[in-house]
Amino acid sequence: ADAAGMTASLAAGKVVTLPSVGLFADGAAVRTIGSETFRVCEKYVDGMVTVDTDQLCNAIKLAYNDARVILEPAGALAVAGLKKFTEENNITGQTFVAITSGANMDFNRLRVVSERADDSERTVQITIPETPGSFRLMYSKIWP
């Protein structure tokens, strides 16, 4: 969602320049899309699906669990978008193909992917005072 230059350009009907882009899917993160790419997409693309970083991480995990391949974030965009599209439109029982690419993944980024891929858990960071009973008090607030 933080590098959706094509989505913004198609909505505006012209190539636009984003004020900034996120770098997680750095292979697709450009502030200004190419004019030829825009021309082709404007003519042939019916719609765009925008995903966030957590959805990208989940797509990387899905690809690994399904095919034992580790996609780079930009390469997982098709999987993330397809998953979001089918879920939002309640589509089941059909076959779809997501074209993936890329292997620009290092262990630091893979750690981030692993932490963000599963939306059933959340990380919470808090600071408690170094006094007797403070941990018990904090615990009673989250698990009464």
Side-chain angles (χ1 to χ4, degrees):
D2 59 2
M6 183 61 75
T7 301
S9 295
L10 289 172
K14 64 179 184 175
V15 174
V16 298
T17 299
L18 300 176
S20 64
V21 293
L23 296 178
F24 186 71
D26 56 355
V30 295
R31 289 184 57 222
T32 307
I33 61 167
S35 59
E36 179 62 10
T37 306
F38 174 75
R39 184 191 70 77
V40 170
C41 288
E42 188 175 44
K43 185 173 181 179
Y44 295 108
V45 171
D46 295 326
M48 298 293 289
V49 177
T50 304
V51 296
D52 62 27
T53 301
D54 290 340
Q55 291 166 317
L56 272 178
C57 291
N58 184 260
I60 293 167
K61 179 182 176 184
L62 287 173
Y64 178 76
N65 288 343
D66 186 54
R68 293 296 188 241
V69 296
I70 299 175
L71 300 171
E72 69 174 82
L77 283 168
V79 175
L82 186 59
K83 183 174 188 269
K84 182 177 178 180
F85 180 81
T86 57
E87 288 172 354
E88 285 182 349
N89 292 285
N90 236 2
I91 299 171
T92 60
Q94 295 184 37
T95 301
F96 293 90
V97 175
I99 299 173
T100 62
S101 63
N104 183 18
M105 178 69 76
D106 60 34
F107 279 106
N108 289 330
R109 185 175 283 177
L110 192 55
R111 177 187 54 81
V112 172
V113 168
S114 176
E115 290 171 356
R116 296 183 73 161
D118 185 0
D119 64 358
S120 67
E121 295 182 6
R122 294 288 182 253
T123 301
V124 178
Q125 180 177 346
I126 62 170
T127 303
I128 60 174
E130 291 287 334
T131 56
S134 60
F135 180 79
R136 185 178 302 249
L137 177 63
M138 183 270 307
Y139 186 75
S140 72
K141 302 291 183 190
I142 59 173
W143 194 267

